[in-house]
Amino acid sequence: MTWPETSGEHEREDRWFGLGWKTRTLVTWAAGRSFAWVDDEITDADRTWVSTHHSGRALLHHVEPFRGLTNEDIAVLDRWHRAP
């Protein structure tokens, strides 16, 4: 994925809403398609933004940076992927 430069307006808006720097770009890239986002920087503000601005299924799954991806995280992704 290529991360575009953000506009000053988007940066101000993202700070206002408390969004992560990836959120807007991921929603745009997904374009209504289902996607899973696994990251150590996901917040409630990101979840709200995605649920408001993305029409498809989305899983935003937070992982602890000191632990990395665990078997439990893989199980969450697997359940989400298999769900109708």
Side-chain angles (χ1 to χ4, degrees):
M1 167 163 236
T2 302
W3 300 103
E5 293 294 321
T6 59
S7 69
E9 179 182 339
H10 283 170
E11 285 182 22
R12 285 187 297 279
E13 187 176 274
D14 291 352
R15 277 194 304 274
W16 172 261
F17 287 107
L19 297 181
W21 64 274
K22 300 172 189 172
T23 311
R24 184 186 301 269
T25 300
L26 286 170
V27 168
T28 300
W29 173 84
R33 298 172 298 203
S34 296
F35 76 97
W37 175 17
V38 178
D39 203 318
D40 66 341
E41 297 180 346
I42 295 171
T43 67
D44 288 339
D46 299 310
R47 294 177 197 286
T48 299
W49 179 270
V50 172
S51 68
T52 302
H53 294 91
H54 181 67
S55 60
R57 285 180 68 223
L59 171 67
L60 279 66
H61 183 69
H62 182 267
V63 295
E64 295 297 337
F66 61 87
R67 188 174 40 212
L69 206 55
T70 65
N71 288 336
E72 291 82 15
D73 297 317
I74 298 298
V76 168
L77 290 164
D78 184 56
R79 281 191 302 274
W80 180 83
H81 175 72
R82 293 174 187 274

